Amino acid sequence: MKSDVNKTTRGIQSRNREEVTTRILVAAEKVFAEFGYAGASISRIAASAGIPKSNVVYYFETKEALYRRVVGEIFDIWRAAADSISVDNDPIRALGEYIDTKLDLARTRPYGSKVWANEIIQRAPIVQDYLEDELRSWTENRITVIEAWVQNGQIRPISARHLLYAIWATTQHYADFTHQITTLNDGVELSDAQWEDTKTAVKDLLLSGVALPGQDGVVTDG
Amino acid sequence: MKSDVNKTTRGIQSRNREEVTTRILVAAEKVFAEFGYAGASISRIAASAGIPKSNVVYYFETKEALYRRVVGEIFDIWRAAADSISVDNDPIRALGEYIDTKLDLARTRPYGSKVWANEIIQRAPIVQDYLEDELRSWTENRITVIEAWVQNGQIRPISARHLLYAIWATTQHYADFTHQITTLNDGVELSDAQWEDTKTAVKDLLLSGVALPGQDGVVTDG
DNA sequence: GTCTATATACAGATAGAC
DNA sequence: GTCTATCTGTATATAGAC
């Protein structure tokens, strides 16, 4: 803010700023997921990032601002995952890709999913504006696409909205409820093969009711 | 504990104890759901129950003990909801009833569902024993039933485990993500008619892939 | 049984040394 | 930019008056 000094070293400092910022964001995503917003103390986030807690405050000013950054990231990632849902694409293939991508994210970014779940469970006290400004219109657009597929006779006349909710619920379940799933898997995390089985099973269960009778390609997909 | 005194009034006191205990449990379920374990202070629970906070401590001793009671209740209710999953019952009818009951509970006991979700998201720091002692064997029993249905040729050869997870995920989504669903419903809670539509849509989506080709009765059910 | 007062710990955020 | 010291508030739990 009061810059001027150290102008010559700004390049190095900027890179350092970015590195530290990223470290904090990664740590924060995990700690917010595992302890909830209230239970995630700045000192715990700092300890997880390996820096003093006042450093966290210095880079993000407040706990809430840091939290919003974390939530915003997973929100953006999920939106990009739905790119395949477009009128020009084949419905079963597009929905299958969406499920695959969401399940890959459930495995690779489980903490982000958990933070989002926590926030919604608690009635979005901090990111309600995201829901109203962005999620709402985004969702309506996807529903319009799915309804167009129904109109065109490309899929069975299912409820587009509830199909979307079912895909969200099921794919995110494998992230949010990882601990329960692991416990029911004799305490060991799902293997690569089990994750592949999961993808196949989820697509089979959710898309068999969507595909037209006799249509194939639900399970057998790259 | 050091009883003896006031023996004649014990009947009245016991009834009062039960009343107050219930008030606290109802308040606690809501507050734990809306603020998470760490964010749910005893004073907030007490305020919600309309009593002084030391009273809450008197009846439940610790915040953790109170929390365990709350989690245990929803766990028991959900187990009872799966009574219909029994080899002697018709699969599609039984699974449809299970989905209906879970969705009814999503509407009537959303806070319990949220508390459970929160606890699992945070890796069951307090009720891990429930998962290992009770949930595990209970789940395996249900999977055995569904696999028997497959063996008997009563349903398609789906993955029993992932079907169960999909039912849990989808039905609980309507409780845990109520706020998101409400926001996407223009800010108003689902109406009676919309809840009926939800039941129909969820059963249609999840059970179309389970029923044998040409089998009906998935959607058309009392 | 009920409630006030309090002990002890830790939270978020800030001031200011370096 | 980084970190120590500290201010202020609130948490759980307990002691003990009534």
PDB file of all heavy atoms in Angstrom, chain A residues 16-17 52 54-55 59, chain D residues 1-6:
ATOM      1  N   ASN A  16       7.378 -14.072  -4.570  1.00  0.00           N
ATOM      2  CA  ASN A  16       7.266 -14.630  -3.237  1.00  0.00           C
ATOM      3  C   ASN A  16       5.840 -14.493  -2.717  1.00  0.00           C
ATOM      4  O   ASN A  16       5.287 -15.415  -2.130  1.00  0.00           O
ATOM      5  CB  ASN A  16       8.254 -13.924  -2.298  1.00  0.00           C
ATOM      6  CG  ASN A  16       8.361 -14.649  -0.984  1.00  0.00           C
ATOM      7  OD1 ASN A  16       8.366 -15.880  -0.969  1.00  0.00           O
ATOM      8  ND2 ASN A  16       8.431 -13.916   0.095  1.00  0.00           N
ATOM      9  N   ARG A  17       5.268 -13.322  -2.978  1.00  0.00           N
ATOM     10  CA  ARG A  17       3.876 -13.100  -2.576  1.00  0.00           C
ATOM     11  C   ARG A  17       2.965 -14.162  -3.161  1.00  0.00           C
ATOM     12  O   ARG A  17       2.106 -14.706  -2.469  1.00  0.00           O
ATOM     13  CB  ARG A  17       3.439 -11.707  -3.052  1.00  0.00           C
ATOM     14  CG  ARG A  17       1.972 -11.419  -2.920  1.00  0.00           C
ATOM     15  CD  ARG A  17       1.642  -9.990  -3.306  1.00  0.00           C
ATOM     16  NE  ARG A  17       1.820  -9.066  -2.207  1.00  0.00           N
ATOM     17  CZ  ARG A  17       0.868  -8.803  -1.290  1.00  0.00           C
ATOM     18  NH1 ARG A  17      -0.309  -9.396  -1.373  1.00  0.00           N
ATOM     19  NH2 ARG A  17       1.087  -7.952  -0.318  1.00  0.00           N
ATOM     20  N   PRO A  52       3.884 -17.980  10.302  1.00  0.00           N
ATOM     21  CA  PRO A  52       3.243 -17.390  11.480  1.00  0.00           C
ATOM     22  C   PRO A  52       1.852 -16.876  11.124  1.00  0.00           C
ATOM     23  O   PRO A  52       1.592 -16.498   9.975  1.00  0.00           O
ATOM     24  CB  PRO A  52       4.162 -16.222  11.850  1.00  0.00           C
ATOM     25  CG  PRO A  52       5.391 -16.384  11.035  1.00  0.00           C
ATOM     26  CD  PRO A  52       5.040 -17.193   9.844  1.00  0.00           C
ATOM     27  N   SER A  54       0.238 -14.177  11.858  1.00  0.00           N
ATOM     28  CA  SER A  54       0.079 -12.784  11.441  1.00  0.00           C
ATOM     29  C   SER A  54       0.391 -12.615   9.954  1.00  0.00           C
ATOM     30  O   SER A  54      -0.062 -11.672   9.320  1.00  0.00           O
ATOM     31  CB  SER A  54       0.975 -11.878  12.276  1.00  0.00           C
ATOM     32  OG  SER A  54       2.274 -12.411  12.359  1.00  0.00           O
ATOM     33  N   ASN A  55       1.141 -13.562   9.423  1.00  0.00           N
ATOM     34  CA  ASN A  55       1.444 -13.545   8.000  1.00  0.00           C
ATOM     35  C   ASN A  55       0.180 -13.816   7.179  1.00  0.00           C
ATOM     36  O   ASN A  55      -0.039 -13.217   6.123  1.00  0.00           O
ATOM     37  CB  ASN A  55       2.487 -14.615   7.700  1.00  0.00           C
ATOM     38  CG  ASN A  55       3.508 -14.125   6.700  1.00  0.00           C
ATOM     39  OD1 ASN A  55       3.165 -13.368   5.813  1.00  0.00           O
ATOM     40  ND2 ASN A  55       4.732 -14.560   6.842  1.00  0.00           N
ATOM     41  N   TYR A  59      -1.601 -11.161   4.374  1.00  0.00           N
ATOM     42  CA  TYR A  59      -1.897 -11.392   2.953  1.00  0.00           C
ATOM     43  C   TYR A  59      -3.387 -11.369   2.623  1.00  0.00           C
ATOM     44  O   TYR A  59      -3.768 -11.063   1.501  1.00  0.00           O
ATOM     45  CB  TYR A  59      -1.286 -12.719   2.498  1.00  0.00           C
ATOM     46  CG  TYR A  59       0.195 -12.608   2.241  1.00  0.00           C
ATOM     47  CD1 TYR A  59       1.124 -13.175   3.125  1.00  0.00           C
ATOM     48  CD2 TYR A  59       0.673 -11.907   1.144  1.00  0.00           C
ATOM     49  CE1 TYR A  59       2.492 -13.060   2.894  1.00  0.00           C
ATOM     50  CE2 TYR A  59       2.034 -11.785   0.911  1.00  0.00           C
ATOM     51  CZ  TYR A  59       2.941 -12.358   1.788  1.00  0.00           C
ATOM     52  OH  TYR A  59       4.278 -12.234   1.561  1.00  0.00           O
TER      53      TYR A  59
ATOM     54  P    DG D   1       5.027  -7.557  -1.083  1.00  0.00           P
ATOM     55  OP1  DG D   1       4.597  -6.264  -0.818  1.00  0.00           O
ATOM     56  OP2  DG D   1       5.036  -8.414  -2.167  1.00  0.00           O
ATOM     57  O5'  DG D   1       6.293  -7.987  -0.206  1.00  0.00           O
ATOM     58  C5'  DG D   1       6.540  -7.327   1.020  1.00  0.00           C
ATOM     59  C4'  DG D   1       7.408  -8.292   1.779  1.00  0.00           C
ATOM     60  O4'  DG D   1       8.156  -7.600   2.786  1.00  0.00           O
ATOM     61  C3'  DG D   1       6.612  -9.367   2.514  1.00  0.00           C
ATOM     62  O3'  DG D   1       7.427 -10.531   2.647  1.00  0.00           O
ATOM     63  C2'  DG D   1       6.345  -8.709   3.859  1.00  0.00           C
ATOM     64  C1'  DG D   1       7.652  -7.944   4.072  1.00  0.00           C
ATOM     65  N9   DG D   1       7.446  -6.701   4.820  1.00  0.00           N
ATOM     66  C8   DG D   1       6.636  -5.636   4.496  1.00  0.00           C
ATOM     67  N7   DG D   1       6.682  -4.680   5.388  1.00  0.00           N
ATOM     68  C5   DG D   1       7.575  -5.146   6.356  1.00  0.00           C
ATOM     69  C6   DG D   1       8.026  -4.563   7.564  1.00  0.00           C
ATOM     70  O6   DG D   1       7.711  -3.466   8.032  1.00  0.00           O
ATOM     71  N1   DG D   1       8.933  -5.388   8.241  1.00  0.00           N
ATOM     72  C2   DG D   1       9.348  -6.622   7.790  1.00  0.00           C
ATOM     73  N2   DG D   1      10.226  -7.280   8.551  1.00  0.00           N
ATOM     74  N3   DG D   1       8.932  -7.172   6.664  1.00  0.00           N
ATOM     75  C4   DG D   1       8.047  -6.394   6.012  1.00  0.00           C
ATOM     76  P    DT D   2       6.941 -11.891   3.308  1.00  0.00           P
ATOM     77  OP1  DT D   2       7.745 -13.008   2.762  1.00  0.00           O
ATOM     78  OP2  DT D   2       5.474 -11.892   3.210  1.00  0.00           O
ATOM     79  O5'  DT D   2       7.361 -11.698   4.825  1.00  0.00           O
ATOM     80  C5'  DT D   2       8.741 -11.781   5.175  1.00  0.00           C
ATOM     81  C4'  DT D   2       8.895 -11.715   6.668  1.00  0.00           C
ATOM     82  O4'  DT D   2       8.504 -10.394   7.145  1.00  0.00           O
ATOM     83  C3'  DT D   2       8.031 -12.709   7.450  1.00  0.00           C
ATOM     84  O3'  DT D   2       8.904 -13.543   8.190  1.00  0.00           O
ATOM     85  C2'  DT D   2       7.121 -11.843   8.316  1.00  0.00           C
ATOM     86  C1'  DT D   2       7.928 -10.551   8.417  1.00  0.00           C
ATOM     87  N1   DT D   2       7.162  -9.301   8.673  1.00  0.00           N
ATOM     88  C2   DT D   2       7.470  -8.545   9.780  1.00  0.00           C
ATOM     89  O2   DT D   2       8.338  -8.854  10.576  1.00  0.00           O
ATOM     90  N3   DT D   2       6.733  -7.400   9.924  1.00  0.00           N
ATOM     91  C4   DT D   2       5.730  -6.936   9.079  1.00  0.00           C
ATOM     92  O4   DT D   2       5.141  -5.890   9.307  1.00  0.00           O
ATOM     93  C5   DT D   2       5.458  -7.774   7.943  1.00  0.00           C
ATOM     94  C7   DT D   2       4.399  -7.367   6.969  1.00  0.00           C
ATOM     95  C6   DT D   2       6.177  -8.904   7.790  1.00  0.00           C
ATOM     96  P    DC D   3       8.348 -14.799   9.011  1.00  0.00           P
ATOM     97  OP1  DC D   3       9.440 -15.778   9.167  1.00  0.00           O
ATOM     98  OP2  DC D   3       7.067 -15.197   8.397  1.00  0.00           O
ATOM     99  O5'  DC D   3       8.073 -14.161  10.429  1.00  0.00           O
ATOM    100  C5'  DC D   3       9.184 -13.813  11.247  1.00  0.00           C
ATOM    101  C4'  DC D   3       8.716 -12.992  12.423  1.00  0.00           C
ATOM    102  O4'  DC D   3       7.911 -11.901  11.941  1.00  0.00           O
ATOM    103  C3'  DC D   3       7.834 -13.745  13.432  1.00  0.00           C
ATOM    104  O3'  DC D   3       8.488 -13.746  14.671  1.00  0.00           O
ATOM    105  C2'  DC D   3       6.530 -12.952  13.456  1.00  0.00           C
ATOM    106  C1'  DC D   3       7.000 -11.578  12.985  1.00  0.00           C
ATOM    107  N1   DC D   3       5.934 -10.721  12.416  1.00  0.00           N
ATOM    108  C2   DC D   3       5.662  -9.494  13.009  1.00  0.00           C
ATOM    109  O2   DC D   3       6.320  -9.150  14.003  1.00  0.00           O
ATOM    110  N3   DC D   3       4.682  -8.707  12.493  1.00  0.00           N
ATOM    111  C4   DC D   3       4.000  -9.114  11.420  1.00  0.00           C
ATOM    112  N4   DC D   3       3.049  -8.298  10.947  1.00  0.00           N
ATOM    113  C5   DC D   3       4.268 -10.354  10.779  1.00  0.00           C
ATOM    114  C6   DC D   3       5.235 -11.129  11.305  1.00  0.00           C
ATOM    115  P    DT D   4       7.980 -14.761  15.795  1.00  0.00           P
ATOM    116  OP1  DT D   4       9.056 -15.753  15.969  1.00  0.00           O
ATOM    117  OP2  DT D   4       6.596 -15.210  15.528  1.00  0.00           O
ATOM    118  O5'  DT D   4       7.935 -13.811  17.076  1.00  0.00           O
ATOM    119  C5'  DT D   4       8.941 -12.831  17.260  1.00  0.00           C
ATOM    120  C4'  DT D   4       8.447 -11.772  18.220  1.00  0.00           C
ATOM    121  O4'  DT D   4       7.516 -10.893  17.539  1.00  0.00           O
ATOM    122  C3'  DT D   4       7.709 -12.302  19.458  1.00  0.00           C
ATOM    123  O3'  DT D   4       8.177 -11.582  20.581  1.00  0.00           O
ATOM    124  C2'  DT D   4       6.248 -12.019  19.157  1.00  0.00           C
ATOM    125  C1'  DT D   4       6.342 -10.753  18.317  1.00  0.00           C
ATOM    126  N1   DT D   4       5.225 -10.518  17.357  1.00  0.00           N
ATOM    127  C2   DT D   4       4.586  -9.306  17.339  1.00  0.00           C
ATOM    128  O2   DT D   4       4.860  -8.402  18.105  1.00  0.00           O
ATOM    129  N3   DT D   4       3.592  -9.189  16.395  1.00  0.00           N
ATOM    130  C4   DT D   4       3.201 -10.136  15.477  1.00  0.00           C
ATOM    131  O4   DT D   4       2.295  -9.909  14.696  1.00  0.00           O
ATOM    132  C5   DT D   4       3.911 -11.387  15.544  1.00  0.00           C
ATOM    133  C7   DT D   4       3.554 -12.484  14.599  1.00  0.00           C
ATOM    134  C6   DT D   4       4.883 -11.530  16.466  1.00  0.00           C
ATOM    135  P    DA D   5       7.621 -11.943  22.051  1.00  0.00           P
ATOM    136  OP1  DA D   5       8.740 -11.765  22.991  1.00  0.00           O
ATOM    137  OP2  DA D   5       6.900 -13.235  21.991  1.00  0.00           O
ATOM    138  O5'  DA D   5       6.554 -10.790  22.324  1.00  0.00           O
ATOM    139  C5'  DA D   5       6.883  -9.453  21.954  1.00  0.00           C
ATOM    140  C4'  DA D   5       5.716  -8.541  22.307  1.00  0.00           C
ATOM    141  O4'  DA D   5       4.767  -8.519  21.204  1.00  0.00           O
ATOM    142  C3'  DA D   5       4.914  -8.979  23.535  1.00  0.00           C
ATOM    143  O3'  DA D   5       4.593  -7.831  24.301  1.00  0.00           O
ATOM    144  C2'  DA D   5       3.683  -9.658  22.946  1.00  0.00           C
ATOM    145  C1'  DA D   5       3.477  -8.861  21.668  1.00  0.00           C
ATOM    146  N9   DA D   5       2.814  -9.599  20.590  1.00  0.00           N
ATOM    147  C8   DA D   5       3.010 -10.903  20.229  1.00  0.00           C
ATOM    148  N7   DA D   5       2.271 -11.298  19.207  1.00  0.00           N
ATOM    149  C5   DA D   5       1.547 -10.163  18.875  1.00  0.00           C
ATOM    150  C6   DA D   5       0.582  -9.910  17.874  1.00  0.00           C
ATOM    151  N6   DA D   5       0.177 -10.834  17.005  1.00  0.00           N
ATOM    152  N1   DA D   5       0.059  -8.665  17.818  1.00  0.00           N
ATOM    153  C2   DA D   5       0.479  -7.745  18.699  1.00  0.00           C
ATOM    154  N3   DA D   5       1.364  -7.866  19.682  1.00  0.00           N
ATOM    155  C4   DA D   5       1.871  -9.111  19.703  1.00  0.00           C
ATOM    156  P    DT D   6       3.716  -7.988  25.652  1.00  0.00           P
ATOM    157  OP1  DT D   6       4.193  -6.952  26.582  1.00  0.00           O
ATOM    158  OP2  DT D   6       3.650  -9.409  26.071  1.00  0.00           O
ATOM    159  O5'  DT D   6       2.271  -7.546  25.144  1.00  0.00           O
ATOM    160  C5'  DT D   6       2.176  -6.372  24.333  1.00  0.00           C
ATOM    161  C4'  DT D   6       0.743  -6.201  23.867  1.00  0.00           C
ATOM    162  O4'  DT D   6       0.458  -7.088  22.763  1.00  0.00           O
ATOM    163  C3'  DT D   6      -0.328  -6.501  24.934  1.00  0.00           C
ATOM    164  O3'  DT D   6      -1.258  -5.444  24.916  1.00  0.00           O
ATOM    165  C2'  DT D   6      -0.959  -7.791  24.449  1.00  0.00           C
ATOM    166  C1'  DT D   6      -0.847  -7.584  22.941  1.00  0.00           C
ATOM    167  N1   DT D   6      -0.999  -8.818  22.105  1.00  0.00           N
ATOM    168  C2   DT D   6      -1.801  -8.756  20.992  1.00  0.00           C
ATOM    169  O2   DT D   6      -2.387  -7.751  20.636  1.00  0.00           O
ATOM    170  N3   DT D   6      -1.875  -9.930  20.284  1.00  0.00           N
ATOM    171  C4   DT D   6      -1.250 -11.129  20.584  1.00  0.00           C
ATOM    172  O4   DT D   6      -1.406 -12.098  19.872  1.00  0.00           O
ATOM    173  C5   DT D   6      -0.436 -11.128  21.768  1.00  0.00           C
ATOM    174  C7   DT D   6       0.283 -12.364  22.179  1.00  0.00           C
ATOM    175  C6   DT D   6      -0.352  -9.983  22.466  1.00  0.00           C
TER     176       DT D   6
END
